[in-house]
Amino acid sequence: MNFDLTDEQLAISRLAREFATDEVRPRAEEMDREEAFPYDLVAKMAELGFLGLPFPEAYGGAGADTVSYALAIMEIARADASTAITMAAHVSLGATPFYLFGTEEQKQRYLVPLAQGKMLWGFGLTEPEAGSDAGNCRTTAQLENGQWRINGTKAFITNSGTDLSGGTTITAVTDKRADGRSEISNIIVPQTTPGFTRSKKYRKMGWRASDTRELSFVDASVPEENLLGKRGEGLKQFLTILDGGRISVAALSVGLAMGAYDEALAYAKERRAFGQTISKFQAIQFKLVDMLCEIEHSKLMVLKAAWEKDNKRDFLQTASLAKLYAGEVSRRVVNEAVQIHGGYGFMDEYPVSRMYRDQKINEIGEGTNEVQRVVIARRMGL
Amino acid sequence: MKIVVTVKLVPDPNGEKKLDPATKRLVRTGVETVINPYDEYALEAALQLKERIGGDSTVTVFCMSPESLKESLRKALAMGADGAVMLSDSSLEGSDVWASAHAMSLALKRIGFDILIVGGLTDDGSTGAVPGALAEFLGVPCLTNVRKIEIADGKVRVERETDGGYQEVTGSLPMLVTTALTIGEPRYPSLKGIMGAKKKPIDMLSVADIGAADTVGSAGSKTELLSFAPPPARGAGQIVTPEDPAAGAAAILAFLKDKKLV
C-alpha cells in the first residue's frame, strides 16, 4: 500500500494552501460579515485553474485527478468554507453535468467557459417541497413547438445569481410514464431566459459569502436542444452527479475541521491560565488529540474515495461513508474548537465562531446524515 | 532572446534553521526544500520579460544542487520556465563563494544566455557575493538591485533601486542582472503549469561535463569556515514600575535618550 502523493498532487495541495493562506484567509471574516461574494478571489481561482481542476485540458480544464481536487477543496475550506463551496458547487454540480452527459456541442458551449472560470453555473434539483425526496419534483417542462415551457420553483441553488452566473441546469417533469410516475429530465436554462428569475440572496446561518437563491420559472422557454442527456434520465443523472459531489463536500468538511483545529491549537499555545498556557492542561491536550485523530481518519476516507474514483473502482459506498463521517467530525471539531477558546470562541472576531456556523450545513447539504445512512444501509443489503 | 535564471534550493525559510557542528553546514534533512525566495523574484522578472519580448524568447532555470532535490525545482517549471539545467555532483559539496561561482560560470557558459537574472541574496548562505563573482568569471557587466528591466535594440535599460530613489542605467548584452524585491511579486504556478511541469526537461550536468574537477568542493575553495556561534541569548528586559503615568513616561524617555534613540 502506498500513501505517497504524486508530485502533481503535492504541488496542487501546496498551491491551494498558499493561495488560501495568503488570499482567502485574511478576507474570510469580512466576507462573512458583509455576505459579500468574492468576485476577485473567484477571478484569481479561475486564472489559476481551480474552477476547471478535474476536467481535461481539451475542455479548458487542468486535467488533474480527483485526489488533487479533494486536496484543493480541503485547503480552501481550511481558510473559508464559503469560498470552498463556491468552487466545489461550480465544479461538481455546475460543470460536471455537461462533462458527463453533454453533447460535444454542449461541452464546447458550456463546459469550456465553465472550466475556464469565465462563467459560473448552478444545479437545480432541490425544490421547496422536494429535498431528500428529490423525486417529488413539481417543476414541469412541456415540449411545445420545439421549445420547453418551464414552470416551477427551485430552492437553495448555489452560484445561481452572481454577475458571473450563466444559468442553471434543472430537473423537471417532462411527461408521465406508463406506470404513473413522473418522467424527469434535465434542462439547461440560461440566465437570460425570459420567465426565469432569481430571488434575492438567502440570508444564511453559514456559508454567508456564497451565492444561494430561490429560482422561479414562469412559462420560461428554452429550445428543445437544451435537453441535457437522455429524456427521462434526469433523476438518474443527478444521482450520479451527487455521487461524485459527495467527495467534494466531504473534503470541504475535512478542510473546515482542519481550519478549526489550526485555530484551537494556536490559541491553546498562546492563552495563559493559572500560570501556564492552556495547552499544558491535559483536558485541552486530550481535546486536541481527539480532534487530530478524527480529522486524520476522515481525511483518509475522503482520499480513499477519491483514489477509488480515479482508479475507476466502485467508490460509491466509500464516498457516502466519507461524506457522513466527515460531516459529523466537522461538527465535533468545531464544537471543541469553540470550547477551547472559551468565551472568545463565542465572539464574532474569532474565526472559530464563523466555522461553528459554517459547519452545520455539512450535515444537511447534498444528502442529510439521515439520508446518507439510509443509502449506506441499502448498499449493505439491509 | 535566451533568458537564464539561477535558482538555489534552500531549506524552507519558515522552518527552524540549524547548523551541524561537525560539518559546519546547514542541516538540510528533515526540512522541506524550496526555491530560494529571492530567486522567485528573479524568475518572475524573467517570465515578465519573456512575456513582453514575445517571439521565440525562452526562460531556462539553472540550479546547482544535489540531484535528490530535483523535484523541488519543478515549481519553477510550473510557474512558466521552459526548461531547467541542473549541475549535480557530490564533489561540489562544501564549495565556498569562489568555488560555487566558478563552477556555475562554467556551466552557464555551456548553457549560454543573452541575459542572466539572479536573485540578490540566498536565504541560507546570505553572502550576497555570488552574483558579482559570477559576472566576473563570465566576463559580463553586472547591474544589481534592479526593479525594472527593458530590452530594446540589443540594449538593456534598467532601473536600479537606491536608498534615496532609483537610477536608470543602460548596458549591452550579454549581461547579469540581480533583482530587487520591488520587481514584482512572484506569481503562483497555475494548475495547468503544475500538470505540464513533468513534461518539461531538466537536463543534468556533472562536474566532468563542465571540466571543473580541481576547483570545486571544499578542496577547490579559497576560504574556510573556522567556527560559528549562535547569537547571544537576549538578556532580561528592564521593567519599570512607576508611581504614575508621568513618571513612567519620564523613565521611558530617559531610557530612549540613554540609547541615543531620541
Side-chain angles (χ1 to χ4, degrees), chain A residues 126-373:
Chain A
T126 302
E127 296 187 0
E129 289 178 64
S132 297
D133 183 13
N136 187 35
C137 178
R138 299 284 172 87
T139 299
T140 57
Q142 275 182 300
L143 191 58
E144 291 168 358
N145 308 320
Q147 296 272 317
W148 295 104
R149 190 156 58 85
I150 307 164
N151 283 286
T153 306
K154 294 286 173 187
F156 313 137
I157 310 304
T158 303
N159 288 337
S160 59
T162 71
D163 299 346
L164 289 168
S165 303
T168 296
T169 307
I170 61 161
T171 45
V173 176
T174 44
D175 207 346
K176 221 164 194 74
R177 294 198 303 208
D179 61 4
R181 295 169 68 186
S182 300
E183 176 200 86
I184 295 176
S185 308
N186 293 153
I187 314 279
I188 302 164
V189 192
Q191 208 75 338
T192 50
T193 306
F196 169 30
T197 52
R198 277 76 53 191
S199 72
K200 279 206 269 186
K201 279 198 288 189
Y202 290 105
R203 298 195 56 214
K204 308 192 290 282
M205 177 202 280
W207 287 4
R208 285 161 56 91
S210 75
D211 184 274
T212 323
R213 295 171 198 255
E214 186 170 276
L215 313 182
S216 155
F217 305 88
V218 180
D219 289 332
S221 278
V222 297
E224 186 175 357
E225 70 201 35
N226 280 25
L227 178 73
L228 181 68
K230 286 194 188 126
R231 183 168 174 168
E233 297 205 343
L235 212 52
K236 198 172 125 197
Q237 287 175 184
F238 264 32
L239 290 177
T240 303
I241 292 155
L242 288 178
D243 285 335
R246 283 195 188 115
I247 296 175
S248 61
V249 283
L252 197 157
S253 293
V254 174
L256 179 68
M258 285 158 72
Y261 169 82
D262 293 342
E263 293 295 331
L265 180 68
Y267 184 80
K269 283 157 94 170
E270 181 191 291
R271 169 74 181 182
R272 297 182 72 84
F274 306 102
Q276 57 184 351
T277 64
I278 60 170
S279 62
K280 297 291 176 203
F281 294 108
Q282 210 170 45
I284 303 295
Q285 291 172 356
F286 281 11
K287 283 185 197 296
L288 288 166
V289 170
D290 291 347
M291 289 155 85
L292 187 60
C293 204
E294 289 209 293
I295 290 169
E296 188 66 15
H297 185 177
S298 54
K299 185 176 176 184
L300 285 173
M301 286 174 89
V302 174
L303 292 179
K304 184 175 178 226
W307 181 90
E308 286 173 347
K309 185 164 188 280
D310 285 334
N311 288 279
K312 312 271 181 274
R313 310 287 169 87
D314 178 1
F315 66 93
L316 303 186
Q317 188 74 325
T318 319
S320 292
L321 288 166
K323 196 293 181 175
L324 170 63
Y325 186 66
E328 296 193 349
V329 163
S330 70
R331 164 163 41 84
R332 291 194 283 270
V333 170
V334 295
N335 187 43
E336 292 294 32
V338 170
Q339 194 68 18
I340 288 170
H341 279 69
Y344 288 108
F346 198 61
M347 298 299 117
D348 262 354
E349 66 206 87
Y350 283 79
V352 287
S353 145
R354 179 187 77 250
M355 291 167 175
Y356 190 88
R357 289 184 287 103
D358 280 342
Q359 183 278 326
K360 189 58 217 172
I361 191 66
N362 292 351
E363 299 182 90
I364 300 171
E366 297 196 37
T368 62
N369 286 355
E370 294 72 21
V371 161
Q372 219 61 255
R373 283 188 164 85

Side-chain angles (χ1 to χ4, degrees), chain A residues 24-41:
Chain A
V24 182
R25 196 172 182 275
R27 301 266 304 281
E29 193 266 339
E30 183 205 339
M31 278 157 44
D32 174 68
R33 180 165 29 87
E34 308 284 336
E35 298 181 64
F37 186 82
Y39 285 101
D40 55 338
L41 290 181

Side-chain angles (χ1 to χ4, degrees), chain B residues 61-127:
Chain B
V61 167
F62 170 71
C63 177
M64 185 169 98
S65 181
E67 192 174 356
S68 58
L69 301 179
K70 197 171 165 183
E71 287 311 315
S72 303
L73 201 54
R74 292 266 174 216
K75 185 182 179 190
L77 300 175
M79 284 170 75
D82 298 288
V85 181
M86 232 177 146
L87 175 61
S88 288
D89 208 301
S90 54
S91 65
L92 289 163
E93 268 181 53
S95 296
D96 67 354
V97 167
W98 188 92
S100 297
H102 185 249
M104 287 167 75
S105 72
L106 293 175
L108 286 161
K109 274 181 192 165
R110 215 182 125 113
I111 296 163
F113 61 88
D114 294 307
I115 183 163
L116 179 63
I117 307 183
V118 183
L121 206 63
T122 54
D123 188 75
D124 52 356
S126 301
T127 63

Side-chain angles (χ1 to χ4, degrees), chain A residues 62-84:
Chain A
D65 57 14
T66 316
V67 168
S68 303
Y69 177 48
L71 291 167
I73 296 277
M74 280 179 205
E75 290 299 343
I76 290 174
R78 192 174 186 169
D80 180 42
S82 288
T83 308

Side-chain angles (χ1 to χ4, degrees), chain A residues 10-29:
Chain A
L10 268 176
I12 289 172
S13 174
R14 234 175 252 151
L15 167 65
R17 182 163 63 230
E18 221 174 290
F19 175 76
T21 309
D22 296 347
E23 316 268 343
V24 182
R25 196 172 182 275
R27 301 266 304 281
E29 193 266 339

